[in-house]
């Protein structure tokens, strides 16, 4: 069983489209994250949810909207896609805020905007 | 400067030791991590150290922490071709909404 799974693994789409990436974790963790990794492999946090509540919201265009229907799922919806949105998006989870626990990452979703 | 800094590239001969260095700015960092990313994969935790420790050893891996200088290093003994990857230093400062801050990653290249 994959601990943190995200779909789709690859996504190729045109500028202006709207797309979603889904993430699920079966580790029983309370906190989930979305990270963006650009072409230079730099990793930046975008959002974090703890028990369905948004706790980290970095400076991200409001075209990006996370949704957490329950603590095991954190989805990322992106409206009006732009060329600069091309990247690998990683979902991750960890134990509760303050636990100091490690992040468990999914395998990434590579988004290519044409 | 950046919260977490590390050099972007390191080349090491197979069998030698690799030392990857990292500096950070937030002295309240309680947990400090090393993650490994192989091509096409997500990040995996290699090892971590608590801020009240100076050193941690785990098989071929040795982590050294100098809190005064805010310097963290990862030593890989007897470097093998399978160690070729990007290594990310990361810190978890206190009171920053449980955010883990990553460095830009050091790409370790193994020479035959």
């Amino acid at each position: 069983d994959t601990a943190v799974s995200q779909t789709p693994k690859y996504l190729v789409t045109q500028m202006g489209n709207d797309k979603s990436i889904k993430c699920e974790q079966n580790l029983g963790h309370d906190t989930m994250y979305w990270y963006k990794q650009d072409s230079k492999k730099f990793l930046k946090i975008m959002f974090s949810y703890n028990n369905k509540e948004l706790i980290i919201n970095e400076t991200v265009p409001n075209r990006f909207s996370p949704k957490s229907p329950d603590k095991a799922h954190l989805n990322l919806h992106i409206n009006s896609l732009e060329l600069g949105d091309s990247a690998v998006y990683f979902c991750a989870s960890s134990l509760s805020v303050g636990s100091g626990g490690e992040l468990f990452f999914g395998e990434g979703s590579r988004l290519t905007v044409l | 400067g950046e919260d977490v800094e590390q050099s972007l590239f390191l080349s090491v001969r197979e069998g030698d030791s690799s030392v990857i260095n990292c500096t950070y700015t937030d002295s309240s960092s309680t947990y400090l991590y090393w993650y490994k990313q192989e091509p096409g994969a997500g990040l995996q935790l290699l090892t971590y150290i608590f801020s009240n420790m100076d050193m941690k050893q785990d098989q071929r891996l040795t982590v050294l922490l100098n809190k005064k200088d805010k310097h963290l290093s990862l030593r890989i003994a007897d470097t093998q071709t399978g160690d070729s990857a990007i290594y990310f230093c990361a810190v978890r400062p206190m009171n920053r909404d449980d955010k883990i801050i990553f460095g830009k990653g050091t790409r370790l290249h193994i020479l035959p």
Side-chain angles (χ1 to χ4, degrees):
Chain A
D1 275 349
T2 306
V4 180
S5 58
Q6 42 184 121
T7 55
K9 193 164 178 169
Y10 299 97
L11 190 52
V12 180
T13 188
Q14 301 282 341
M15 272 176 57
N17 284 350
D18 304 337
K19 289 294 175 189
S20 292
I21 308 171
K22 296 186 182 220
C23 179
E24 176 182 2
Q25 54 96 3
N26 62 6
L27 298 166
H29 289 167
D30 295 319
T31 308
M32 294 184 73
Y33 309 78
W34 278 110
Y35 281 84
K36 179 181 179 181
Q37 186 174 46
D38 64 22
S39 57
K40 293 181 180 175
K41 304 296 186 184
F42 300 159
L43 202 63
K44 289 276 189 191
I45 189 166
M46 300 172 70
F47 302 103
S48 172
Y49 271 73
N50 179 261
N51 267 320
K52 303 193 294 176
E53 183 186 338
L54 182 65
I55 55 171
I56 295 174
N57 186 355
E58 290 295 281
T59 308
V60 174
N62 57 16
R63 297 182 294 105
F64 289 78
S65 51
K67 279 194 173 48
S68 182
D70 56 62
K71 74 174 195 176
H73 294 85
L74 180 62
N75 304 323
L76 183 65
H77 187 74
I78 316 170
N79 288 327
S80 304
L81 279 156
E82 299 177 358
L83 293 176
D85 297 332
S86 294
V88 181
Y89 292 85
F90 285 100
C91 177
S93 71
S94 71
L95 287 172
S96 302
V97 171
S99 70
E102 67 178 281
L103 290 176
F104 288 78
F105 282 85
E107 295 201 340
S109 296
R110 182 179 292 276
L111 172 65
T112 303
V113 182
L114 303 174
Chain B
E2 294 288 333
D3 286 318
V4 181
E5 288 199 11
Q6 49 184 132
S7 54
L8 296 181
F9 298 98
L10 177 66
S11 289
V12 172
R13 293 213 174 273
E14 194 175 354
D16 287 351
S17 291
S18 306
V19 180
I20 303 172
N21 294 302
C22 169
T23 57
Y24 57 97
T25 56
D26 194 327
S27 57
S28 76
S29 296
T30 52
Y31 297 87
L32 302 103
Y33 310 86
W34 284 104
Y35 282 83
K36 177 182 181 182
Q37 185 180 29
E38 295 183 358
L43 281 72
Q44 284 192 301
L45 182 71
L46 263 185
T47 186
Y48 67 94
I49 189 167
F50 296 120
S51 58
N52 62 358
M53 297 167 67
D54 298 325
M55 185 180 95
K56 181 177 180 182
Q57 188 151 4
D58 183 4
Q59 298 182 335
R60 291 191 298 122
L61 304 178
T62 304
V63 179
L64 294 177
L65 174 61
N66 181 328
K67 278 189 72 175
K68 177 173 162 290
D69 294 339
K70 289 180 261 185
H71 181 267
L72 183 73
S73 69
L74 172 69
R75 179 175 178 269
I76 306 172
D78 185 25
T79 309
Q80 299 162 13
T81 53
D83 295 324
S84 182
I86 301 175
Y87 291 82
F88 290 89
C89 173
V91 303
R92 185 191 287 265
M94 282 182 68
N95 302 323
R96 286 184 63 175
D97 298 324
D98 201 40
K99 190 188 299 186
I100 293 181
I101 301 168
F102 285 81
K104 291 183 175 175
T106 299
R107 190 182 293 271
L108 178 62
H109 178 61
I110 313 302
L111 301 166

